[in-house]
Amino acid sequence: MSTSSQNKRGFHPRVDSLQKNRRASRESSRPRKRLVSQNDAYIFALRVAYLSHLLQPRARRTQHVPAAPKALQRSSSSIHDLMKDFSLLRDSKSTKFPHGFMAELEKRLTGVIMGRERAQEFHDPAIKRSFAAFLNAFMEQGFKKRMEKDRRVEDLVLIFYSNATKELQKGKIPGDDSWKFLADRHLALFIRLISLILKEGDWSRDRPELSSRLATLESKLLTNDQDLAADTRNGSSTGSTIEVIVPVSFEVKDMLLVQVVARIFHLTYIQVQSDIDKHRSVWTAKAALQDLKTYQTLLNLNSRKTLRSDDFDLEEGYEAWKKSEAPDLAQMIMAIVQSNPELAQSSYNHNTPQFNANAGGSEASDSGYSESSRKMSMSEASSYVIDQPVDMSAISPSEASAPTFDREEDAFTFIPSDTRAYYRLILSQALSYDLQDETLKASEATAETPALKLLSKQSTELLNEICLRWRLPYVSRIVLFLDVIREKFLEQDISLETLDAAFTFIKEPLPDNKKDANFMSLLLFDRAKWTLQDYALNQQILASLHDALLRDLYDVAQQCYEQKPPSVGPILYVLEHHIYNDPNFSRSPEDIAAFTTQLQEGLRGKAFALYKEYLAKYLPQDQESWQFFDVIELGKAVVTLTQRIQKRYRKNPEIMGANPLTALVETMLPLYSEDARDIVERILHLSAAKGEEVPVEDGFDLYQELVEIRRIQAEALPNIPFVFRIEDLLADFVWRWIKLTESTIIAWVDGAVKQDEFKVRTSTLGLPPTDSERHSVSIIDIFTSFNQTIDRIVQLNWDNDLQYAKFMTALAKVIGNGIARYCEIIELRFAKEMDRMTPEQEASTTLSRQEKWMQLAKDAWNNKEKIEPFQFFPESFVKLNNIEFAVRQLDKLEKEVNVDACIDVIEKNTPPLSHRQRKVNNYVFTIKIVEAEDLKACDTSGFSDPYVVLADEYQKRLAKTRIIYSNLNPRWDETVDITTQGPLNIIATVWDWDALGDHDYVGRTSIKLDPSHFSDFMPREYWLDLDTQGRLLLRVSMEGERDDIQFYFGKAFRTLKRTERDMTRKVTDKLSAYINHCLSRRALKSLLFKGISISSVSSYFNRNRPQQTLQAPTQADITDALKPLFTYFDDNFAIMNQTLTREAMIMVMTRLWKEVLVTIESLVVPALSDKPSQQRQLNQQELDIVFKWLQLLFDFFHAVDEETKEENGVPLDILQSPKYFDIKTLNFFYFDSTDSLIRTSERMASATAARQQTQRNRLSAPAALTSMPFGGAAGLLGTPSHRKSKSIMLSRNLGTMKKAKEDKRKEAQADPNDDMILRILRMRPEAERYLRDRSRQKERLAAAAAAEMIVRQSIMAGGGRMTGSLPRR
C-alpha cells in the first residue's frame, strides 16, 4: 500500500473501536434508531415529492383578449366564375389529375379526418366535418369510378364545394350567411391539400400548368377572405394577448415525482391523491422553509440532530462539510421564497435586498460537498431554481435560538428522524422497482464502462431531491447505495454483473462536465472527509461482499471440470478491482491461504468424484467382459478432460492460488494409471486362461493412450514418477506384430510381383520417361510396406531405447527376408527372359544333326561375322531398374532407422563379450567361384565355353556363373551366399555352353561346408580337382548370422548388390561373345595380314623373285577394325537407353568395360598359374595395336562431348581401375629379358614380405595375409588366404560399399605386386622352375600367416574353437 493510502487510513483505530462497541458515532448523540416501516418511508418520500411539485417554477401561458366584432364582407364572385379557367379547357392535361391520384387523395382525406395531417390549419373540427362529408360522397362507387376515369379538376372541386356548403348550413337559422365565408375557406384548404399531394407525389413536375392553376384558384378564394383567415387563427379579427401564471395543480397526474413515489411503492394514483389531499394543509412551502430555518439553527448550535465534529475523524473534514452547507441552505431558502414571495413578507416589512447568486461561492468551492450536492440535485424537474430577487431580511437566522421539541418527530415536517435509514429503504424500493422494470433500457456500453441498468432517470431525480431536502452528504449516499446493492446481492436479487455495474456507477459517474466529475472523485477517494459511520459501513460492506464472492467463487470453481462451466473471471474481476483495490478493505494472507487450500481440496474432491463417474460410465461391472477398448475409452476421457482444462486455463492457470489442472492431474492420473495397470493385467490373465489373444491394434491404441497420460503427468507433476513401466507391460504386443509381419512378408512380396507388369510409368505422353518413372510399381509397393512397417513402430514413440533398438533389429531381419524373396523372384524371371533362344536358335531345334553341321559350314564359308544385337525385353531392364531403386531406398531406410544409434543402445545395455557366450544358430558361407584350369575341350575349335553350377546334396541349384567363351582356363570371380545351420555338402559342376543342342558336361567336384572348420571366421581358398580333368578354385569364408541390425541390413544390401551384379552380368554376357570375337588374336592377325593376296602368298615359294615388305596398318585401319564392335555397342545401348535409368546404364557400361579389360588382358598375357603357358607372346607391332584399341575403347566408354566437354559415359575413376593400370604397366616389362623379370619379381616379393611383417609387428590384430593364387598342398588343406573377406558387415549400406571399393583401389595402387610379371614369365619356358619355386614360397608364407592368425584369435577369444567373436567392422 502506498504512503498516501496509509495516511488516508490514519483513523482506523477509531473505526475499530466503533465496530467493537457495535455502535456508530452518531448513535452516541441521539436515541437508538427504531425500525423504519415501509409506510413511514413512503410518507416522507411523498412529502418530498409533493414539496418539489409545489416549488416548481410556475408555468406561464398567453391569453387572447378579443376586440369588438365587426361585420364581414364577402366577394361577389361565384364558384362557377372561379372555375372558368378549368371549364374552358376540358380535354387539356392541365385540367386532369394524374393516374393514381384518387387513391392518394382518399388516404390524405382520411388522415385529415383522423387528425394525422401535419399542417395545423387542417385540425379545425369544422374543416374535419366538411372533409368528412366530401369523403362520404367521394367513396360512392359510381362517383369514384367516374372520377378515376375522367380525372377532371372541375368535377372534384364542385362536388367538394357542394358537400361543404350542405355541411356548413346545418344548424344555421334562416338568414344567417356566415357559413358562406367558411365555405370559401374550406374549399381553399381542399385546393391546398390537392397541391400538396401533387407535390409530394412528384406529379407537379409533369403538370406544372395544373399546379399553377390550382395555386391561382387558392389565392382567389383567400384574397377576399383574409378577415376570415385571421379570425379562424386568432379567434377574432382584432384584439390583444397577455401572459398569465398557470395556477398550481393539486392532481397527481401533474406531479411527476409523486408519480415516481407511487410506482416504487406500488400504490395507485388514487391512494396517493388521498394522502396528498389529507395532508395538503400541513405539507406546505412555509413548513419546508421552517424546516430549513430549524436545520440552519441546529447546525449553527452544533446540535445532535445534525452532523457534528464527533462524526468525523478529522476536524478539517467536519469544517469542510459545514462550510459547504451554508451556501446550499441559502440557495434552498431563496428557492422557496421565490416560489412563494408572500413568505418573505409574512412577518416583517423590511427592504428586500438583492440576492447575489455567487455569495459565498469562493468559500464553498473548496469543498467537494457543495459541488456534489448541487450536481446531484439539479435536474429538469428540480425545485432548486432561483431567478428572481426577493426580500430575505425577514428570515435571517442570525437571531434565532435553539428550538425545543416535545418529540423527535416534531422537529421537522419534511425531514425524518433517521435520514440514513429512511433514505436506504426508499433507495431499496426504487432499485427493486427499476431492476424489475422491463421497459427500462440499459445505458449504452462504452470502452470504459459497461452497459448499466440500475436506477431510472425518474428514480434518480426523486433520490436526489430527497438527499437535497434531508441534507445527506454525497459520500453517505454512495455508501448507502452500496449497502443496498450488497443486501440485494446477498439475497440473490441482483446478479454479479449488476454488482459490477454498481461499483462502476459510483466510481465512474457520468456528469455533464469534467469539473464536477473531479470534485466527486476527490470526495469519493479522499477518505479523510468521510464520516466515521460511512467508513465503518463501507468496511462492513466490503467484508460481507468479500465473503459472499469467495463462496460464489468456490461454487463456480467446483464446476470448472464441466463441459461448459460458468466463468470465474467476473468474480475475480470484482474481487480484484472493487474489493481488494479499495483502501478500506484489509485482507489477511492467512485467510487467503486458507481459502486457497480449501479450494484446492475441493477441486481434488471434485476430480475424484468425476473419475468415479468415468469408471462407472466406461468400465463394465463384469470383469469377464473387460476389454482394452474400455481402458482406452476411459483414458481418452481422462486425456480429453485434462487437455480441455489445460487449454481453458492456459493464460490464467490459477484461481486464487488454486490450480485446477494440478488438482485434476494429482488426483485423476495416478488413479487411472493404477487402475489401468490392474485392468490390463487382469485382461491379459483372463485371455491367457481362455487361450485367446488380445488384438495387437488394441495394445497399440492402449499404449498411445497411456503414453499421452504419462506425458501430461510429467508436464504437470515432474517430480512424481508414473506408477508403472508401460513398455514392460505392453512390449509383447510389438513382438507379436513383428512376428505377424514376418509371417506375411513373403506373401506381400509375392502379391506385389504378381500384380506388376514391369512397365515404365510415363506421366507425360510424347516425352521420354524420367529416371524416377523407370521402375515399376512392385518395388514401390514393397518399400511402401517396409516404410509403413517401420513407421508403425516409430509412431508409437516407444519410450524404451533398448526395446526400440531390438524392435528395429527384428524388423531389419524381416525387411531382409522380404528383399531376399524379391531378389529371388526377380532374378528367376530375369534369367528366364535372358536365356530364351533367338529365332535362329529356335529354328535350329527342328534341324537334324547333319543339317546343323551343314549350316555351320555354310556360315563359315560365307564368312558370316555380323552378330545381330540381342532383343532385350523392356520388362527385363525395368527389373534391373527395380533392383537399383531398391538399393537406394534401402540405404535411405537404413539412415532413417538410425542403425548406429540402435547399435550403441544395445551395446550399452549388453554385457561385454567376455561375460557372455555368443550363441550362433545360423551360418552364412560366402563362396567365390574364382577360376578353373586345364578344362576339357568340348568344342571342335579345341576350346570350351564353360560355366559353373552350384547345387546342394539334394540337387537344389544354388548359383550359376556366367559363360566364358572359348577358354580352357576361365576366370569368373562370382560370389554366392549360402545360409546353413550345420554342415552342408556343395557340388560344383562345370558345363560347356552350346548354342545348338544340349550343353556338354565338363567336370564335377564337391566341398563340405562345416562351420567347425571355420571357427576362426577366416577366408580360405580350395583348389578342387574335377572328376575328368582340370581343377576349380573356390574361395570360402563364413560368418555367423548375428542378431544385429547392421548384419541384417548388410545382408540385404549384399543380396541386392549381388542380384544387381548377376543381372548386369547376364546383360553383358549377351555382348561379351562379340567382344571376344572383335578383340581376339584372330582379329589382330586379320588386321596385320589384311592386304595379302594369293599372288603374294605364292611369292613366298618363289625364291627368284624379291620379297614384298608387309606394311603396318594405319590408324584408320586400327579404328576401322573396331567399328563393328562400336556399332554393335551403339545398337544395344540404344535399346537399353529407352528403359534403363542413367545409374543402371552406367552400371551396365561399367561391367562391359571390365569385360573389355579382361579380354584385352587375356589377349596380352595368360592367366596366373604355377605352370608354363602355351600362349605366344605378342610382338611390338601387335602390342601397339592392342594398346591403341584400349585407348579407343577408353574414349568410347568415357563419351566426352567434344563441344561441351561433358562426360556422358562411365566416370573416369571407374575407367581407370587397378586392372586398367596393370594393363598399362605391361609396356614396361613385356619385352624385358627373363632374368630381368625374375629379379624384379624377387625384389617386389621381398618388399611385400617386409611390409607385411612390419604391419604384423605394429598391429595387435592379425594383419591381412598374402594371396595364394596357386594350388598345391596349402590349397588342398584349405589354408587361409591374404584376401580381405567381403563380409556382410562391410556391405551394410551404400556408404560402406563405396568405402570398401575406394580402399581396394588405393590398396592396389599403393601395394603393387608381381602378378603381371609372373603372368609374363608363363610365356617364357625357361622360367618354369622359378614359377614353381615362387609358388612354394607363397604357400609357406600363407601357412605361417594362417597359423599365427589362428593362435592370436584363440588367445583373444579365451580358448575354444567357436568362441571367437564375429567382427562388427
Side-chain angles (χ1 to χ4, degrees), residues 238-275:
T238 60
S240 61
T241 58
I242 61 174
E243 285 188 349
V244 297
I245 298 176
V246 179
V248 178
S249 173
F250 294 99
E251 295 183 5
V252 173
K253 64 182 181 65
D254 297 323
M255 305 177 188
L256 298 180
L257 292 186
V258 171
Q259 295 175 16
V260 175
V261 173
R263 286 197 297 269
I264 65 177
F265 284 95
H266 306 286
L267 298 175
T268 64
Y269 288 175
I270 297 176
Q271 293 174 311
V272 175
Q273 186 69 56
S274 175
D275 292 335

Side-chain angles (χ1 to χ4, degrees), residues 233-463:
R233 289 190 297 269
N234 299 326
S236 176
S237 60
T238 60
S240 61
T241 58
I242 61 174
E243 285 188 349
V244 297
I245 298 176
V246 179
V248 178
S249 173
F250 294 99
E251 295 183 5
V252 173
K253 64 182 181 65
D254 297 323
M255 305 177 188
L256 298 180
L257 292 186
V258 171
Q259 295 175 16
V260 175
V261 173
R263 286 197 297 269
I264 65 177
F265 284 95
H266 306 286
L267 298 175
T268 64
Y269 288 175
I270 297 176
Q271 293 174 311
V272 175
Q273 186 69 56
S274 175
D275 292 335
I276 291 175
D277 295 340
K278 181 179 179 181
H279 301 93
R280 189 167 65 181
S281 60
V282 179
W283 300 346
T284 61
K286 182 178 180 180
L289 180 61
Q290 184 61 41
D291 281 357
L292 291 178
K293 292 168 64 177
T294 304
Y295 180 83
Q296 194 173 38
T297 302
L298 295 176
L299 177 64
N300 293 331
L301 297 176
N302 197 19
S303 171
R304 60 186 178 86
K305 292 186 178 295
T306 63
L307 290 178
R308 299 191 302 175
S309 60
D310 293 341
D311 293 321
F312 292 87
D313 182 65
L314 299 177
E315 187 66 26
E316 62 181 66
Y318 169 71
E319 292 298 331
W321 170 81
K322 184 177 180 181
K323 187 181 294 185
S324 67
E325 285 289 280
D328 283 349
L329 289 173
Q331 293 279 4
M332 294 172 65
I333 292 174
M334 182 64 68
I336 296 175
V337 173
Q338 180 183 1
S339 179
N340 298 272
E342 66 277 6
L343 295 178
Q345 301 175 359
S346 59
S347 301
Y348 303 95
N349 191 17
H350 301 288
N351 295 328
T352 304
Q354 185 71 24
F355 179 75
N356 186 2
N358 294 326
S362 60
E363 297 179 359
S365 62
D366 295 336
S367 172
Y369 288 102
S370 176
E371 295 291 341
S372 61
S373 298
R374 279 192 287 274
K375 182 63 186 175
M376 293 292 290
S377 60
M378 294 183 67
S379 61
E380 295 179 0
S382 175
S383 60
Y384 193 179
V385 178
I386 301 175
D387 57 2
Q388 296 281 344
V390 295
D391 185 2
M392 296 289 296
S393 59
I395 57 174
S396 175
S398 58
E399 299 177 357
S401 59
T404 58
F405 308 102
D406 296 334
R407 294 184 308 164
E408 187 175 358
E409 290 80 356
D410 298 335
F412 302 100
T413 301
F414 292 95
I415 303 176
S417 58
D418 188 354
T419 56
R420 295 174 63 93
Y422 277 81
Y423 177 77
R424 186 185 183 284
L425 196 151
I426 297 170
L427 174 62
S428 177
Q429 285 290 123
L431 186 63
S432 299
Y433 176 81
D434 289 340
L435 290 176
Q436 296 174 2
D437 187 5
E438 297 181 355
T439 61
L440 179 61
K441 296 182 180 180
S443 64
E444 294 185 1
T446 64
E448 292 80 13
T449 59
L452 302 178
K453 182 182 178 181
L454 292 172
L455 292 170
S456 65
K457 181 180 179 180
Q458 295 80 7
S459 298
T460 303
E461 292 175 356
L462 174 64
L463 294 172

Side-chain angles (χ1 to χ4, degrees), residues 27-74:
E27 293 179 349
S28 63
S29 59
R30 66 180 62 175
R32 181 174 299 276
K33 293 185 298 184
R34 59 187 179 85
L35 187 64
V36 178
S37 66
Q38 184 172 348
N39 185 65
D40 293 341
Y42 154 69
I43 291 298
F44 274 97
L46 183 61
R47 294 181 186 186
V48 173
Y50 175 69
L51 177 62
S52 174
H53 174 71
L54 292 180
L55 298 181
Q56 287 291 330
R58 296 292 175 260
R60 298 176 183 271
R61 66 184 178 186
T62 301
Q63 184 174 346
H64 179 74
V65 179
K70 64 178 181 178
L72 297 177
Q73 297 180 356
R74 184 174 182 274

Side-chain angles (χ1 to χ4, degrees), residues 9 64 71 79 118 168 187 228 293 296 308 321 420 467 488 646 804 822 852 898 1018 1067 1112 1146 1208 1316 1326 1343 1351:
R9 298 177 62 178
H64 179 74
I79 187 64
R118 294 188 297 272
L168 291 173
L187 180 60
L228 178 62
K293 292 168 64 177
Q296 194 173 38
R308 299 191 302 175
W321 170 81
R420 295 174 63 93
C467 291
K488 294 190 176 299
Q646 186 179 21
Y804 178 80
Y822 185 77
K852 292 178 183 179
N898 199 353
M1018 292 300 296
V1067 174
I1146 296 297
N1208 298 318
M1316 276 299 179
E1326 62 272 18
V1351 171

